[in-house]
Amino acid sequence: MDKPQQPFSDGMPNLSEAHFEVPTAERVEVPTPLTHAPRFLILYGSLRERSFSRFLAYEAVRLLERMGGEVRIFHAHGLPLPDDGTADHPKVQELRNLSIWSEGQVWVSPERHGNLTGVTKSQIDWLPLSEGSVRPTQGRTLAVMQVSGGSQSFNAVNALRVLGRWMRMITIPNQSSVPMAFQEFDEAGRMKPGPLYDRVVDVCEELMKFTLLTRERADYLVDRYSERKEREPDRLKAVAADIGFVKR
């Protein structure tokens, strides 16, 4: 059978050939694999003394460590509200440094008024899209989980997914939502065995797999045509002129 004639013959005049790249399998090969343990940052969204989101976060810590990861957990006590403090605040610096250190993250939020909590959002809002030449979240893997006081809901994890995409993270397909969380944790704060716990194991397992798959390739995976164009000196100068920093 003859190959049909390509219907487009007018070229691509809008494409900058200097910045256009054809993705290839060779570009995602890793010449020198990393040897250190995968690094994970865990955020949770409650300051209560008996916090089910913290309990769930701790279960993620235990599982990721059991799978060979190196894990840090950020406690938001003392973190100022966004715009009610400055970026040099010790808690803000701690959070940003942990995010830069990490290769994957887990965000756990309670559901409050049908959405994630302000504690959760404040932590994410303190993470800038870029800080100098460093992007604290771009290219990192992300798993999202939530706890609810009532029936099954996915409002918080859905909102976290939106934030993860906005922060340019690689959000894994799986997620965990724990309804009636007060019934799922014992007095010591350990999650009880059952299907909901099994799902948490699934999420952590998938996060570990995606992190191992992408952490050495993250810079290439999130490299973008539009941003390659914007890094050109002439383009940066034009943008600066448009926003009033320099004269044309």
Side-chain angles (χ1 to χ4, degrees):
M1 182 177 178
D2 293 337
K3 182 178 179 181
Q5 184 177 358
Q6 174 59 253
F8 304 112
S9 59
D10 52 353
M12 303 186 72
N14 297 328
L15 191 68
S16 171
E17 292 293 343
H19 303 97
F20 179 70
E21 293 183 2
V22 177
T24 65
E26 289 74 19
R27 290 296 303 274
V28 295
E29 291 180 356
V30 179
T32 307
L34 297 174
T35 57
H36 65 264
R39 300 167 178 169
F40 298 99
L41 169 62
I42 314 293
L43 307 181
Y44 66 95
S46 172
L47 302 180
R48 291 179 176 178
E49 182 176 352
R50 184 168 173 80
S51 164
F52 296 113
S53 65
R54 187 177 73 250
F55 294 160
L56 185 56
Y58 284 169
E59 294 296 343
V61 173
R62 294 182 181 100
L63 287 164
L64 290 169
E65 287 183 341
R66 179 66 178 81
M67 295 174 189
E70 184 179 358
V71 189
R72 300 286 184 270
I73 188 164
F74 178 76
H75 302 283
H77 297 274
L79 181 71
L81 288 171
D83 302 325
D84 195 31
T86 57
D88 60 357
H89 189 283
K91 290 295 291 187
V92 176
Q93 286 298 301
E94 177 189 355
L95 175 60
R96 293 186 178 185
N97 288 336
L98 285 171
S99 185
I100 292 169
W101 166 86
S102 71
E103 295 165 334
Q105 298 187 15
V106 181
W107 295 351
V108 187
S109 180
E111 181 174 312
R112 181 173 296 170
H113 299 317
N115 213 309
L116 51 82
T117 63
V119 174
T120 305
K121 187 62 161 56
S122 291
Q123 293 174 77
I124 299 169
D125 283 348
W126 271 119
L127 294 173
L129 285 176
S130 63
E131 192 170 23
S133 60
V134 177
R135 296 186 185 275
T137 55
Q138 177 167 293
R140 288 153 179 81
T141 53
L142 173 66
V144 296
M145 299 193 286
Q146 75 168 75
V147 293
S148 305
S151 59
Q152 183 73 280
S153 172
F154 300 96
N155 292 328
V157 288
N158 287 339
L160 290 171
R161 284 188 175 279
V162 171
L163 289 168
R165 183 174 70 248
W166 189 262
M167 301 303 286
R168 303 181 177 188
M169 303 180 78
I170 303 168
T171 308
I172 67 170
N174 214 338
Q175 62 188 23
S176 171
S177 175
V178 181
M180 292 184 284
F182 60 91
Q183 295 181 353
E184 298 301 326
F185 295 87
D186 62 22
E187 287 302 313
R190 294 304 309 271
M191 193 171 185
K192 298 176 183 178
L196 293 174
Y197 176 76
D198 294 347
R199 186 60 173 265
V200 175
V201 179
D202 289 347
V203 170
C204 292
E205 181 181 70
E206 189 170 287
L207 177 64
M208 177 62 78
K209 291 176 181 177
F210 270 76
T211 305
L212 290 170
L213 183 66
T214 63
R215 65 175 181 161
E216 295 147 319
R217 303 168 172 87
D219 289 343
Y220 177 64
L221 292 174
V222 297
D223 183 47
R224 300 176 179 181
Y225 164 78
S226 61
E227 292 178 355
R228 290 195 294 273
K229 290 183 63 178
E230 290 171 357
R231 287 194 293 265
E232 289 291 328
D234 290 345
R235 172 63 176 167
L236 292 174
K237 183 178 179 180
V239 171
D242 286 341
I243 60 179
F245 277 104
V246 296
K247 296 181 179 179
R248 292 185 183 274

